[in-house]
C-alpha cells in the first residue's frame, strides 16, 4: 500500500501539496512514483513561472512513461528543487521528501483532497 501523509493535501492526479501560509510545496505522491517506476528525468519550470491549478507545469519521465505534473494551486514558482534535476531517483527513494517546486499562492486552492479522501481514491482505483 502506498504511503499517504496526514498533514498533506492531495489531487486526483496524484500530486501532494503542503500549504504553509501563502506558500505551497508541491511534489508527486508515493503512489505516483510507484506507478511510474524508476524516475530518470524531471522537467520543472524556472523560478518566476506562473502556474495554474489543474494545468500541467512539468513532467516526470520514468523508464516506462512520461507523465505530466499538474498544479494543485495557482501562483508563482519561487523555488525549484535543483537536487531533483541532478538526481531524479530521489523521488523513488522518498516521494514526500522530494518536493519539486515551492509556489507563492495567488488564489485559494480548490478541490484538494484530505489524506483520508486520497486513500479512498487509491482504494477505488
Amino acid at each position: 500500500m502506498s504511503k499517504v501523509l496526514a498533514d498533506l493535501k492531495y489531487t486526483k492526479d496524484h500530486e501532494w501539496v503542503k500549504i504553509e501560509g501563502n506558500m505551497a510545496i508541491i511534489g508527486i505522491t508515493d503512489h505516483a512514483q510507484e506507478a511510474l517506476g524508476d524516475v530518470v528525468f524531471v522537467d520543472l519550470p524556472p523560478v518566476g513561472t506562473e502556474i495554474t491549478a489543474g494545468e500541467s507545469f512539468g513532467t516526470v519521465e520514468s523508464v516506462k512513461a512520461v507523465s505530466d505534473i499538474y498544479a494543485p494551486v495557482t501562483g508563482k514558482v519561487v523555488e525549484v528543487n535543483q537536487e531533483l534535476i541532478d538526481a531524479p531517483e530521489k523521488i523513488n527513494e522518498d516521494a514526500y521528501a522530494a518536493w519539486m517546486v515551492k509556489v507563492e499562492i495567488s488564489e485559494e486552492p480548490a478541490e484538494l483532497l484530505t489524506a483520508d479522501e486520497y486513500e479512498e481514491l487509491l482504494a477505488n482505483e
Side-chain angles (χ1 to χ4, degrees):
M1 180 97 184
S2 300
K3 185 167 71 171
V4 176
L5 303 184
D7 62 334
L8 302 176
K9 297 287 188 188
Y10 299 88
T11 70
K12 292 178 176 142
D13 296 310
H14 309 292
E15 289 83 20
W16 61 262
V17 59
K18 181 172 193 167
I19 296 174
E20 297 173 336
N22 71 332
M23 296 299 292
I25 303 165
I26 301 168
I28 65 169
T29 65
D30 193 44
H31 174 81
Q33 71 80 21
E34 281 176 5
L36 282 166
D38 293 336
V39 175
V40 294
F41 182 75
V42 182
D43 182 31
L44 299 172
V47 168
T49 302
E50 294 282 340
I51 65 172
T52 303
E55 292 184 11
S56 172
F57 70 87
T59 57
V60 178
E61 189 174 328
S62 73
V63 290
K64 291 189 209 168
V66 177
S67 296
D68 283 318
I69 311 162
Y70 294 96
V73 298
T74 297
K76 184 169 75 178
V77 175
V78 293
E79 192 177 340
V80 174
N81 188 345
Q82 290 300 325
E83 196 175 46
L84 291 186
I85 306 298
D86 301 327
E89 66 276 3
K90 288 190 178 297
I91 295 167
N92 294 122
E93 292 164 16
D94 185 347
Y96 296 112
W99 61 274
M100 295 179 169
V101 293
K102 293 183 180 177
V103 175
E104 190 177 324
I105 301 170
S106 61
E107 57 185 68
E108 272 303 300
E111 293 197 39
L112 295 174
L113 305 175
T114 64
D116 288 342
E117 290 167 335
Y118 184 66
E119 283 179 333
E120 194 175 309
L121 175 83
L122 293 180
N124 293 323
E125 276 199 347

